[in-house]
Amino acid sequence: MILRAMGFVALFVLVACSGCDRSPEALRNKYLARGQHMVKQRDYARAILEFKNAAGAMPRDPEAYYQLGLVYVESRDLQSAVNNFLRAVELNPKHRAAQLQLSRIMASAADPEVVKDAESRLMQLLNGAPSDPDALNTLALTELRLGKMDVASDHLLQALRASPQALNSSVMLANLKAAAKDLKGAEEVLKAACASDPKSSDPLVILGDFYSGVGRVAEAEQAFLRGIAVNPNSGPALLELGNLQLYLGRKQEAEQTFKRLSSLPEMDSKPVYATFLFQEGRLYEAIQVFEQQAKEHPEDRKARTRLVTAYRTAGRPKDAERVLNEALAGNAKDLDALLQRGEMYLTAGKLGQAETDLNLVLRLKPTSAEVHYVLSRLQQARGSELTQRQELGEALRLNPLLLQARLELARLLVRANAAQTARETLDEAPAFQKRLLPVLVERNWALWALGDLAELRRGIDLGLQQTRVPDLLIQDALCKLKQGNFTGARSSLDEALRMNPEDLRALEALRTSYEYQKQMPMAVQRVKDYAARYPKSAPVQEFLGTVLMANREDGRARQAFEAAQAADPKFVSAQMSLAQLDAAERKWDQAGTRLKSVLDANPQDVRARLWLGHVEAVQGKREDAIRHYREVIAASQNSGDALNNLAYLLADAN
């Protein structure tokens, strides 16, 4: 009986312990530990899932929401970060770390009221710990945003008194003094930071950067050298010293510095020397270093990527493909290698092989925004614009921070007469992206398509306050044309063309400005005059030919197209225009020869293949025409011309 009782007790203890392992707290701890491990691996997507599981296990525990907020900050999804920090402080208003992180994000907001809210939160935090350097630094940042320069300076000094080694406080205070043109004061702050932490090279590097920024390069070099003396393995000090030596034209010294930097154990330092060699045009030496690094660190996918990129840049695609094939032979599910090989096939026009690799990546990682973006390029190569937009939309859904996908999608939507959707797509960008010039420019084009000239004018003015670039100048000119300000419009277009003489949008707008005034001969003459200034520009000569064709000057148009082809034998647009002229003059053999040469260079050129089908159909080469139309349809299912002509030829045969 005693033994049975002991056995029962043992069984009870075992079951009880098993229950402990499955308790909400134990599950929460397990998920938190997994999530933190994923963060160290920079696998933020999986970290988010683990922290969400932790929150599900204990929904009233603020820590899981705080950790989620931190991951969203790393992923630059600031809205989700704010939501989770808010939830954490709602559950525990005394969670200082969550309050501080929330305040930091709010301090960078565009809305002054949000910044004031951050200031209020930080003041409350400081009530409990008035010498907290992190809180004081963040409070100073909010005060700077609110224009309270003196108060911000006082709080930074307070932070430095509490923690003299707080380098962030020193840097912020030095920047504040430099902005007020107190360079001596900024220098003294940074010198004090060096003195307060004499065993660290970091403040010396920052002091060196300050000296370099104000043109005191000799003192900058001394600061970097002192940093290296304090810590011979200081990557930042070696990098800044090498960059300074390169700037001063001392390439041999810079080379030795970069070589020393690349010998450090930190993986981020490894490619610096080879990158220097590459930029100097010493491709063979650079590739040798990249090869050695990839061999020494076979597990380092970044090293492999650098080698593949170097091979491709040096015109050695077979070597790049060999490296990727070897990687995939060892691991057929290596997503990085599959994606890189798919991109390489796409660039080479091997669309079928590219699609195979990309679809495999998609099956293995359905949430990959990057593969959807590359698939959009595949659809672009096939001329399938609708599917291209769908892939870009999916890429954005999976990763709203993918700026290039957002810009390309907006551009396509404007072209598809969906400018309002394009505008909404751009307005949905994260706050920090909305202020970027490319977003502003694309939004302006959407506004132009919508005819919202008032909002467009505000967008143009906002952009021109930052910089003067061709897009903004062309937009400015278009607005002025609508207002009848032809002189102002042409002035902006002339400036845009000085920046980029081959910007055909500006040249077309210049031509149109005369058409607005019904000065048709002058419109053509301005293009002729402009093209005469750039006889070696293939795009400009091709544009002239197009204008002359529209003006029924076919002979002179042919001369312009031939000039474009002579300037750049690979300029496909000129060859296509010449083929169009040949066809118009019923020179079918000549047109066919030109189109075949285009396809020899790029078998994936759908437009050239479609036109060749037309030419051969007219010549009675029925089977050849059918073959070309079928290839067009296989490459681009949206080709109505190919479908109609193929149906006609097949019906005619019956």
Side-chain angles (χ1 to χ4, degrees), residues 490 510-528 547 550-551 553:
R490 288 167 191 153
L510 184 63
R511 184 191 68 82
T512 303
S513 72
Y514 290 97
E515 289 191 350
Y516 273 24
Q517 293 180 289
K518 303 191 183 305
Q519 298 176 6
M520 305 303 181
M522 180 58 75
V524 177
Q525 189 58 46
R526 278 302 304 265
V527 176
K528 289 179 179 178
V547 170
N551 202 44
E553 298 182 45

Side-chain angles (χ1 to χ4, degrees), residues 216-496:
R216 294 161 63 178
V217 292
E219 290 163 285
E221 184 173 13
Q222 288 304 309
F224 297 141
L225 288 170
R226 285 171 56 201
I228 295 167
V230 169
N231 177 9
N233 293 328
S234 171
L238 286 166
L239 180 62
E240 293 299 335
L241 177 62
N243 286 332
L244 183 63
Q245 290 167 334
L246 194 59
Y247 170 76
L248 294 172
R250 290 151 47 187
K251 290 187 179 181
Q252 290 184 340
E253 293 178 49
E255 179 175 351
Q256 293 307 311
T257 301
F258 290 139
K259 194 171 186 178
R260 178 177 171 184
L261 175 59
S262 292
S263 69
L264 298 180
E266 288 78 16
M267 297 306 293
D268 289 343
S269 301
K270 296 296 181 187
V272 175
Y273 175 54
T275 302
F276 163 78
L277 293 172
F278 213 85
Q279 291 172 344
E280 289 296 303
R282 296 158 62 180
L283 303 187
Y284 179 75
E285 295 173 79
I287 287 174
Q288 280 188 313
V289 177
F290 283 134
E291 287 174 335
Q292 184 63 30
Q293 290 175 354
K295 183 178 179 180
E296 290 175 355
H297 305 280
E299 76 293 342
D300 185 356
R301 294 186 178 185
K302 290 182 180 179
R304 184 185 69 204
T305 297
R306 288 191 290 268
L307 177 59
V308 168
T309 303
Y311 278 143
R312 293 179 65 184
T313 306
R316 296 169 58 179
K318 290 184 179 179
D319 286 322
E321 186 174 357
R322 172 182 52 77
V323 170
L324 295 173
N325 288 342
E326 289 172 358
L328 289 165
N331 177 9
K333 295 182 179 181
D334 186 328
L335 299 184
D336 291 335
L338 282 168
L339 186 58
Q340 289 164 19
R341 194 173 69 175
E343 287 183 289
M344 196 166 66
Y345 284 149
L346 178 57
T347 302
K350 300 176 181 178
L351 304 189
Q353 291 168 274
E355 186 171 30
T356 299
D357 278 354
L358 296 173
N359 283 337
L360 181 54
V361 176
L362 199 58
R363 285 198 297 274
L364 294 170
K365 191 177 180 182
T367 59
S368 170
E370 289 74 14
V371 73
H372 282 287
Y373 176 69
V374 180
L375 281 168
S376 76
R377 290 171 48 206
L378 175 68
Q379 297 304 329
Q380 180 185 23
R382 287 179 166 166
S384 182
E385 195 168 293
L386 177 60
T387 313
Q388 182 187 358
R389 294 204 307 267
Q390 290 171 345
E391 292 291 357
L392 288 169
E394 183 62 11
L396 271 183
R397 186 188 70 81
L398 292 167
N399 182 4
L401 299 174
L402 207 55
L403 179 59
Q404 192 58 35
R406 190 177 298 278
L407 295 173
E408 290 180 19
L409 179 57
R411 211 169 292 137
L412 288 173
L413 288 167
V414 169
R415 197 160 72 191
N417 298 318
Q420 181 58 38
T421 307
R423 178 181 181 175
E424 292 167 359
T425 298
L426 293 165
D427 287 345
E428 289 168 359
F432 76 94
Q433 287 185 351
K434 289 180 184 178
R435 298 189 291 270
L436 299 177
L437 188 63
V439 175
L440 181 62
V441 166
E442 290 304 329
R443 189 173 187 273
N444 284 348
W445 286 123
L447 293 168
W448 169 254
L450 289 168
D452 190 345
L453 297 184
E455 182 69 13
L456 173 60
R457 185 70 261 171
R458 285 191 287 272
I460 294 168
D461 292 341
L462 184 61
L464 290 174
Q465 288 172 11
Q466 299 179 38
T467 186
R468 299 179 76 82
V469 294
D471 272 274
L472 290 171
L473 290 166
I474 294 168
Q475 292 165 356
D476 179 59
L478 293 174
C479 261
K480 288 174 178 175
L481 284 177
K482 281 288 187 182
Q483 297 165 349
N485 181 3
F486 301 108
T487 302
R490 288 167 191 153
S491 175
S492 293
L493 293 170
D494 286 340
E495 185 180 351

Side-chain angles (χ1 to χ4, degrees), residues 553-583:
E553 298 182 45
D554 288 358
R556 296 189 66 181
R558 182 178 289 278
Q559 291 176 359
F561 293 140
E562 288 172 347
Q565 191 173 27
D568 182 1
K570 296 181 179 180
F571 192 61
V572 173
S573 185
Q575 295 182 59
M576 296 293 289
S577 295
L578 283 167
Q580 185 179 358
L581 265 180
D582 291 336

Side-chain angles (χ1 to χ4, degrees), residues 71 122 131 243 245 421 435 467 508 511 541 563 569 589 615:
V71 180
L122 290 162
S131 299
N243 286 332
Q245 290 167 334
T421 307
R435 298 189 291 270
T467 186
E508 169 62 16
R511 184 191 68 82
Q541 293 301 317
D589 289 339
V615 168

Side-chain angles (χ1 to χ4, degrees), residues 103-147:
S103 299
R104 283 176 178 163
I105 297 174
M106 294 171 67
S108 64
D111 187 346
E113 294 303 317
V114 176
V115 181
K116 288 178 182 177
D117 188 359
E119 182 183 32
S120 175
R121 289 175 181 274
L122 290 162
M123 294 295 286
Q124 291 178 14
L125 278 178
L126 287 167
N127 286 337
S131 299
D132 183 337
D134 288 335
L136 285 165
N137 281 338
T138 309
L139 178 58
L141 178 61
T142 64
E143 289 161 345
L144 287 173
R145 294 291 313 281
L146 294 170

Side-chain angles (χ1 to χ4, degrees), residues 50-161:
E50 296 293 349
F51 291 139
K52 283 184 176 180
N53 287 337
M58 291 186 67
R60 303 292 301 172
D61 178 46
E63 188 59 24
Y65 298 102
Y66 171 66
Q67 294 295 335
L68 266 172
L70 292 178
V71 180
Y72 281 123
V73 168
E74 292 294 332
S75 304
R76 303 193 74 178
D77 184 353
L78 297 187
Q79 186 56 60
S80 296
V82 166
N83 294 341
N84 281 281
F85 289 140
L86 282 170
R87 180 60 176 156
V89 300
E90 177 187 334
L91 293 169
N92 179 10
K94 296 183 179 180
H95 197 303
R96 292 184 59 83
Q99 288 279 18
L100 186 58
Q101 290 289 343
L102 180 61
S103 299
R104 283 176 178 163
I105 297 174
M106 294 171 67
S108 64
D111 187 346
E113 294 303 317
V114 176
V115 181
K116 288 178 182 177
D117 188 359
E119 182 183 32
S120 175
R121 289 175 181 274
L122 290 162
M123 294 295 286
Q124 291 178 14
L125 278 178
L126 287 167
N127 286 337
S131 299
D132 183 337
D134 288 335
L136 285 165
N137 281 338
T138 309
L139 178 58
L141 178 61
T142 64
E143 289 161 345
L144 287 173
R145 294 291 313 281
L146 294 170
K148 301 177 180 180
M149 305 298 181
D150 292 339
V151 182
S153 180
D154 289 342
H155 281 127
L156 289 171
L157 287 169
Q158 187 179 341
L160 283 171
R161 283 194 294 271

